[in-house]
Amino acid sequence: MDILIEPLQYAFMQRSLIIAILVGLVCALVGSYLMVQRLALLGDAISHSVLPGLAIAFLLGFNIFIGAFIAGILSTVIITWIRTRSTIKEDAAMGIVFSAFFALGITLITTIQKDNKIDLNHFLFGNILGVTASDVRDTAIIAVVVVLSVILLYKELLFYSFDPSGAKAAGLPVNLLNFGLMVLIALTVVASLKAVGVILVLSLLITPGATAYLLVPRLHQVMTVGAGISIFSSISGMYLSYYYNLPSGPAIVLVVSGLFALAILFSPSQGVLTQRRQKKTESH
């Protein structure tokens, strides 16, 4: 119990754990849709595309969350425009846009660091131990918006995710649903910035859902189990970071990646090793 309680004596750890739980929840919920639609690259594109928005907002003295969100939405609009106005496929459009935005963001951050003598690398890799009370407030607001949106639009997004053509034929506003999903992804990426940074956020978006997908069959179960896995990984990563002086973002990602490795090896229905045992038993 002392191991669990000791870090909670410090205000910075309390704030960090709240952020970790919120981020773990929203990443698992939104990431489940990404995985079902095979749009992992889109999560990567948006996470990298927020960087110039962060840098510009920092430069102008605005809230970096707002700058990141605007840049994320702008990147999805450009990706959609390229896809609909040319013969370029969506995955190629994503690669073009996210690499251009990421390069612009790195350039701006490098320039700002030279002029201001400050370190902005926490935008890239996260710095959850440095979160402020206002960061907790902003992340909590984003988490509430994302969770309520997923609850209210669950059936529509479920139909659209598994059968876009059927959803369109049924009269659902598929373009609006698609844009709404992009907004949720951008909000989730923005919420995760302080925890794991733009480079590692894809892991929290995809890995918990992928792990749950190996364990349970239905989307609502994937969301629930994925959220549990994500929150557990976030909290465990924070404790590892505290006791072993590890970078917090990478520690969280290593825990969730380790759980995925266990699932892919030992999942009762889809595990590599468990399936081998079943085959051997059946052959005997």
Side-chain angles (χ1 to χ4, degrees), residues 16 25 48 55 62 68 75 85 129 138 157 192 219 227 234 262 266:
S16 300
L25 176 62
H48 284 72
F62 293 161
S75 70
R85 295 302 179 96
L129 296 179
D138 293 342
L157 285 172
S192 308
L219 181 62
S234 298
L262 290 173
F266 300 108

Side-chain angles (χ1 to χ4, degrees), residues 81-104:
W81 183 82
I82 292 173
R83 180 174 57 84
T84 55
R85 295 302 179 96
S86 71
T87 56
I88 302 295
K89 300 291 186 183
E90 190 171 29
D91 58 345
M94 289 178 198
I96 293 165
V97 172
F98 97 64
S99 57
F101 270 62
F102 191 60
L104 176 61

Side-chain angles (χ1 to χ4, degrees), residues 44-208:
D44 197 29
I46 295 177
S47 64
H48 284 72
S49 298
V50 302
L51 202 56
L54 284 170
I56 292 169
F58 182 86
L59 199 58
L60 298 177
F62 293 161
N63 187 315
I64 63 166
F65 285 93
I66 296 173
F69 176 70
I70 292 171
I73 294 299
L74 181 61
S75 70
T76 63
V77 170
I78 294 173
I79 288 168
T80 304
W81 183 82
I82 292 173
R83 180 174 57 84
T84 55
R85 295 302 179 96
S86 71
T87 56
I88 302 295
K89 300 291 186 183
E90 190 171 29
D91 58 345
M94 289 178 198
I96 293 165
V97 172
F98 97 64
S99 57
F101 270 62
F102 191 60
L104 176 61
I106 293 291
T107 303
L108 288 172
I109 283 178
T110 304
T111 304
I112 292 169
Q113 287 184 154
K114 283 181 182 176
D115 295 340
N116 294 275
K117 305 296 185 208
I118 54 173
D119 183 15
L120 298 180
N121 287 331
H122 58 274
F123 286 158
L124 297 175
F125 304 107
N127 182 25
I128 195 170
L129 296 179
V131 296
T132 62
S134 61
D135 291 330
V136 174
R137 179 201 65 211
D138 293 342
T139 305
I141 291 170
I142 293 172
V144 169
V145 170
V146 171
V147 171
L148 285 178
S149 300
V150 169
I151 292 171
L152 293 173
L153 297 173
Y154 176 76
K155 290 181 180 178
E156 290 82 359
L157 285 172
L158 177 66
F159 192 3
Y160 169 69
S161 296
F162 282 97
D163 187 6
S165 301
K168 188 173 184 179
L172 288 178
V174 291
N175 290 331
L176 202 58
L177 285 173
N178 183 62
F179 183 72
L181 187 57
M182 302 306 107
V183 170
L184 290 180
I185 296 166
L187 284 171
T188 302
V189 168
V190 169
S192 308
L193 287 174
K194 287 284 185 174
V196 291
V198 300
I199 292 178
L200 298 174
V201 69
L202 184 66
S203 177
L204 272 190
L205 268 173
I206 301 300
T207 312

